[in-house]
């Protein structure tokens, strides 16, 4: 149960960070256009929330980009709660199995960019990098942390639409009470 709370809290942080800190107050495409049209040629493409993307489609895009770059997915002890599966994706790379986690991270984010994900804010500090990529109503927070033999690579995507925002808030409130 504690792990589910952590995932819900992480989702809340991702939602908060996703809306802060970029030029124009949003990580959405600048110039007023939506990149939803670019999803037509992408893999997957379920709709509902997310302006043309759903959790399965986002998972498929991240998986395709990361595995092509040399990552394998590391099984998480903290799965996304069932009620948030269409609003949040968490994909952790098994960085220890990658030949060069830095190059694989860079290749993954570049492949996502070629797939219509627009790069937003990027912070590099002390061997770590955290960057955001947006497509439609979704934001991926891609992070790579590496120091003294420790490597961690994580891609957490959230749907920033009103429907999912309400689900995230409800999940956070539910977990505050327990």
């Amino acid at each position: 149960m504690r792990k589910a709370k952590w995932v819900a809290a992480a989702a809340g942080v991702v939602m908060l960070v996703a809306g802060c800190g970029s030029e124009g107050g949003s990580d959405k495409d600048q110039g007023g256009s939506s990149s939803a049209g670019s999803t037509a040629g992408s893999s997957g493409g379920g709709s509902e929330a997310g302006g043309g993307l759903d959790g399965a489609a986002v998972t498929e895009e991240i998986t395709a980009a990361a595995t092509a770059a040399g990552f394998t997915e590391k099984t998480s002890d903290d799965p996304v709660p069932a009620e948030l599966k269409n609003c949040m994706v968490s994909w952790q790379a098994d960085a220890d199995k990658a030949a060069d986690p830095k190059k694989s991270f860079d290749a993954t984010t570049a492949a996502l960019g070629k797939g219509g994900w627009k790069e937003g804010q990027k912070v590099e500090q002390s061997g770590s990098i955290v960057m955001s990529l947006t497509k439609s109503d979704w934001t991926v927070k891609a992070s790579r942390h590496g120091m003294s033999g420790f490597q961690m690579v994580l891609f957490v995507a959230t749907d920033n639409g009103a429907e999912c925002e309400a689900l995230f808030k409800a999940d956070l409130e539910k977990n505050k009470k327990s």
Side-chain angles (χ1 to χ4, degrees):
M1 185 59 152
R2 190 179 90 188
K3 291 177 183 177
K5 288 181 186 178
W6 180 87
V7 170
V13 170
V14 170
M15 291 295 291
L16 177 66
V17 173
C20 299
S22 65
E23 299 81 26
S26 171
D27 281 337
K28 299 288 183 219
D29 289 340
Q30 304 300 318
S33 67
S34 169
S35 60
S38 66
T39 63
S42 69
S43 58
S47 52
E48 292 158 31
L53 288 176
D54 64 7
V58 173
T59 299
E60 192 174 315
E61 290 188 28
I62 292 170
T63 300
T67 56
F71 284 128
T72 56
E73 187 172 9
K74 186 174 186 175
T75 305
S76 175
D77 293 334
D78 298 327
V80 174
E83 62 273 13
L84 298 177
K85 285 246 186 234
N86 205 36
C87 295
M88 181 180 174
V89 171
S90 179
W91 201 99
Q92 184 172 355
D94 191 342
D96 294 334
K97 292 182 180 177
D100 185 338
K102 182 184 182 321
K103 284 183 182 176
S104 292
F105 178 83
D106 292 343
T108 301
T109 57
L112 289 170
K114 289 178 184 173
W117 290 87
K118 183 177 177 182
E119 186 176 325
Q121 187 176 23
K122 184 176 188 178
V123 177
E124 295 183 67
Q125 186 175 23
S126 302
S128 295
I129 182 169
V130 178
M131 64 186 296
S132 64
L133 300 123
T134 58
K135 183 176 184 178
S136 191
D137 283 347
W138 284 82
T139 300
V140 172
K141 292 295 180 183
S143 61
R144 181 185 57 78
H145 309 281
M147 301 174 89
S148 305
F150 170 76
Q151 293 286 326
M152 185 171 90
V153 176
L154 184 63
F155 301 91
V156 177
T158 55
D159 182 336
N160 302 314
E163 183 180 325
C164 285
E165 185 177 331
L167 289 171
F168 284 122
K169 285 180 182 178
D171 187 63
L172 288 171
E173 286 301 315
K174 177 181 76 175
N175 286 308
K176 277 184 187 178
K177 294 175 184 176
S178 47

